Amino acid sequence: RNQERFQRDEVDVMVATVAFGMGIDKPDVRFVIHRDMPKDVESWYQEFGRAGRDGLESDCVLFYSWADVKMHERFLNEIDDPDVWHRKRQATVDLFELLERGGCRHQGIVGYFDEEMGPCHGSCDSCTGRTVESRTRGAPALRKRRSGGGKAKAAPDLSPTQQAAFETLRALRKTLADREGVPAYIVFNDRVLQEMVARRPSTEAELLDVPGVGPAKLARYGATFLEAVAALDG
């Protein structure tokens, strides 16, 4: 039975690592769980950013407490420059305060990087009331969606015929990705291909209207995928 699952590529893998941000590059990571608070907002952002690169929903959970700040302080003991020490410690405190502040998590994160967005209204624990708490550690959660925080539509439900068309586009994507030496999702993620199958764009304007297709990817891959989509109906 396990051999059959491997053949169907349906095996679930759990990875425990302190180098998740740089060590994992897979499109279909469904969960990122931090058992301790990262050292700063940038690290947290990079690490949970590894989830959901295929455009489908993924959950990110962070357990934290003030003890994590004190733990990171101990790693700074060998720093002689007091300015560097205070800067690095403050970065950890900034993350703790962001987590304690409440409000939309996505809004708080982009605000830290001097950007603005409205509340996600459905993709984080604060907006959905899904916060998990204990006496010592809170667990704020984020749900990543293709829109980068706002509530998105569910992935299209594909009929058997559409599923076959989706696999055809996936094969084309793999050919292009192999040629360029990049992961397949860099070309287009699964959600984009599903939308192509459901919408059947026939012009550049219609393809550009598919979520996840921007001007750069339109110029690079547009003609190839428009031709492939047209052939699906042939």
Side-chain angles (χ1 to χ4, degrees), residues 17-216:
T17 174
V18 294
F20 193 82
M22 299 301 294
I24 302 296
D25 191 14
K26 299 295 182 182
D28 55 353
V29 175
R30 295 274 75 86
F31 296 92
V32 172
I33 301 175
H34 286 90
R35 68 173 297 275
D36 300 299
M37 192 180 76
K39 63 181 180 180
D40 51 41
V41 178
E42 289 84 355
S43 297
W44 185 41
Y45 182 69
Q46 181 192 59
E47 290 160 10
F48 76 65
R50 297 286 160 171
R53 292 190 168 196
D54 55 5
L56 303 181
E57 289 187 3
S58 301
D59 287 290
C60 309
V61 177
L62 167 60
F63 292 92
Y64 75 97
S65 73
W66 181 253
D68 293 321
V69 178
K70 306 304 291 183
M71 177 190 69
H72 285 297
E73 278 185 9
R74 291 196 292 272
F75 291 121
L76 303 179
N77 287 341
E78 296 182 3
I79 296 178
D80 295 327
D81 188 322
D83 291 335
V84 174
W85 189 94
H86 284 290
R87 186 167 64 249
K88 288 184 174 294
R89 180 186 182 278
Q90 186 59 48
T92 304
V93 173
D94 287 344
L95 175 54
F96 179 84
E97 291 180 343
L98 186 153
L99 297 172
E100 286 287 279
R101 188 181 309 144
C104 175
R105 304 294 181 185
H106 294 274
Q107 191 176 40
I109 291 166
V110 300
Y112 179 84
F113 294 103
D114 296 323
E115 298 182 17
E116 295 182 2
M117 63 170 283
C120 69
H121 295 305
S123 294
C124 76
D125 63 312
S126 180
C127 290
T128 62
R130 294 191 302 127
T131 302
V132 179
E133 296 183 350
S134 69
R135 293 180 62 183
T136 57
R137 298 175 71 80
L142 293 166
R143 173 158 290 177
K144 298 186 64 185
R145 302 176 186 266
R146 64 172 173 79
S147 58
K151 189 170 184 178
K153 297 186 299 180
D157 291 325
L158 302 182
S159 67
T161 300
Q162 289 175 320
Q163 185 64 34
F166 170 62
E167 295 300 334
T168 298
L169 295 188
R170 288 188 74 189
L172 171 61
R173 179 184 66 181
K174 184 178 187 306
T175 298
L176 295 174
D178 289 347
R179 184 184 304 162
E180 298 181 4
V182 299
Y185 70 87
I186 294 297
V187 179
F188 287 122
N189 63 44
D190 283 358
R191 177 62 181 269
V192 175
L193 299 187
Q194 291 170 344
E195 292 284 356
M196 287 185 190
V197 168
R199 297 181 183 218
R200 299 298 174 97
S202 60
T203 66
E204 288 191 350
E206 291 176 350
L207 183 57
L208 192 60
D209 193 50
V210 173
V213 179

Side-chain angles (χ1 to χ4, degrees), residues 213-230:
V213 179
K217 290 194 175 183
L218 178 68
R220 193 176 188 89
Y221 307 116
T224 301
F225 276 90
L226 283 173
E227 182 179 350
V229 170

